[in-house]
């Protein structure tokens, strides 16, 4: 049965839902976490490092929300600061240097919009990621595992392949934020969610994502094994691309073309 858009949003925000660290621990082996952006600080909302996907060395980066109230507070509820994006970019550049594929797990309501984050260049940090990810010479796969909110999510989603879990959401703004702008009433979030076309099926229909991952066995060993297998298969395909950067450019140039109505 198809769920209403706002029901998907609630599922995507569920604290019991697997977070980035859950995927790192269960899909990869030998994970070594790296810290800091080498400019200002470390951001606990972004976890990154090197690991092995079966026998393939990869760089893994995840936006982490946490499960408990204490964990969520420590991770700033999965809202990265500029340091988080700069840390991610540092790790991606390192991955390019050593020829490692990059795999990102995205789960954020949006980048942190506090005064300090803006003073330290939040917008510029995200923009630099968009620019640099578009020209990386190694394969990039991004998976939206929960919320995919605005530029905060896009800062780790300029990839060769973008996948979404069945009940993940991907949108330019939260339903509550949209309702506040359009109707001056955040209580109309359910109406806004229906208009935003934020479900995985909507994203796939216009080419924003390539694959929808079933959640029938989410959190179980079989679920993580399936994701590991899919990642291995996709990396093999991407490794055979004649011109990875051009293919990535073409992918983003085609976004939404199928949704354009010709008069």
């Amino acid at each position: 049965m198809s769920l209403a858009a706002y029901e998907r949003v609630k599922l995507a925000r569920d604290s019991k839902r697997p977070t980035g660290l859950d995927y790192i621990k269960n899909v990869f082996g030998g994970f070594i976490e790296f810290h800091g952006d080498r400019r200002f600080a470390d951001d606990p909302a972004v976890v990154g490092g090197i690991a092995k996907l079966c026998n393939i060395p990869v760089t893994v980066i995840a936006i982490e929300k946490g499960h408990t109230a204490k964990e969520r507070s420590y991770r700033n509820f999965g809202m990265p600061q500029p340091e988080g994006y700069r840390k991610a970019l540092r790790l991606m550049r390192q991955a390019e240097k050593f020829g490692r594929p990059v795999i990102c797990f995205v789960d954020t309501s949006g980048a942190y919009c506090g005064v300090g984050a803006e003073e330290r260049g939040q917008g510029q940090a995200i923009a630099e990621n968009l620019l640099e990810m578009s020209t990386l010479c190694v394969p990039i796969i991004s998976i939206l595992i929960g919320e995919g909110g605005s530029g905060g999510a896009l800062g780790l989603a300029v990839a060769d392949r973008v996948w979404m879990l069945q009940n993940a959401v991907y949108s330019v703004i939260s339903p509550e934020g949209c309702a506040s702008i359009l109707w001056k009433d955040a209580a109309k979030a359910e109406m806004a969610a229906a208009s935003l076309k934020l479900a995985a099926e909507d994203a796939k229909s216009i080419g924003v994502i390539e694959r929808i991952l079933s959640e029938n066995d989410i959190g179980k060993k079989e679920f993580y094994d399936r994701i590991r297998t899919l990642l291995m298969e996709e990396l093999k395909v991407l490794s055979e691309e004649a011109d990875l950067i051009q293919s990535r450019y073409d992918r983003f140039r085609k976004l939404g073309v199928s949704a354009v109505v010709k008069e």
Side-chain angles (χ1 to χ4, degrees), residues 10-246:
K10 291 177 181 178
L11 286 173
R13 293 172 175 172
D14 193 336
S15 63
K16 297 183 180 65
R17 191 177 183 83
T19 63
L21 276 173
D22 294 319
Y23 288 87
I24 290 174
K25 292 174 183 175
N26 290 282
V27 174
F28 306 90
F31 177 65
I32 301 173
E33 185 177 357
F34 294 162
H35 296 272
D37 67 342
R38 301 297 186 267
R39 297 188 190 183
F40 182 75
D42 185 46
D43 182 3
V46 177
V47 177
I50 56 175
K52 282 197 173 182
L53 180 65
C54 293
N55 292 318
I56 302 174
V58 296
T59 290
V60 186
I61 302 166
I63 298 177
E64 173 63 25
K65 279 186 176 179
H67 291 288
T68 66
K70 184 176 181 180
E71 288 174 351
R72 292 204 159 196
S73 177
Y74 173 66
R75 303 287 180 183
N76 200 32
F77 300 89
M79 295 184 289
Q81 308 266 1
E83 299 75 54
Y85 293 106
R86 289 175 179 138
K87 173 168 65 174
L89 183 56
R90 177 174 74 85
L91 295 178
M92 287 187 279
R93 284 171 172 163
Q94 182 192 78
E96 183 178 47
K97 178 179 179 180
F98 292 101
R100 293 191 296 263
V102 176
I103 299 171
C104 300
F105 295 93
V106 179
D107 185 12
T108 180
S109 58
Y112 186 60
C113 57
V115 173
E118 297 298 332
E119 288 175 341
R120 297 192 303 278
Q122 182 71 285
Q124 182 182 14
I126 294 172
E128 286 177 350
N129 276 30
L130 304 185
L131 176 63
E132 295 285 343
M133 289 181 77
S134 68
T135 59
L136 281 182
C137 296
V138 292
I140 311 169
I141 300 175
S142 292
I143 307 177
L144 285 101
I145 59 174
E147 287 187 279
S150 192
L154 194 58
L156 288 180
V158 179
D160 302 292
R161 301 288 187 271
V162 182
W163 301 346
M164 283 179 72
L165 264 66
Q166 184 179 350
N167 293 315
V169 294
Y170 199 12
S171 176
V172 69
I173 192 172
S174 70
E176 293 82 3
C178 179
S180 296
I181 293 170
L182 293 182
W183 300 295
K184 312 300 181 186
D185 184 1
K188 293 184 178 179
E190 189 170 346
M191 188 187 308
S195 301
L196 285 168
K197 304 295 183 183
L198 42 66
E201 293 84 358
D202 299 315
K204 192 171 189 300
S205 70
I206 58 173
V208 172
I209 65 170
E210 281 76 29
R211 187 189 293 269
I212 300 173
L213 303 174
S214 170
E215 295 188 16
N216 290 339
D217 50 1
I218 189 168
K220 297 180 180 178
K221 180 180 182 299
E222 295 77 12
F223 173 75
Y224 296 115
D225 289 346
R226 179 159 48 87
I227 290 178
R228 185 186 305 111
T229 300
L230 291 173
L231 286 171
M232 288 288 294
E233 292 173 351
E234 201 63 61
L235 287 179
K236 183 178 180 181
V237 172
L238 290 171
S239 68
E240 296 171 355
E241 284 279 1
D243 190 337
L244 201 60
I245 296 175
Q246 184 62 47

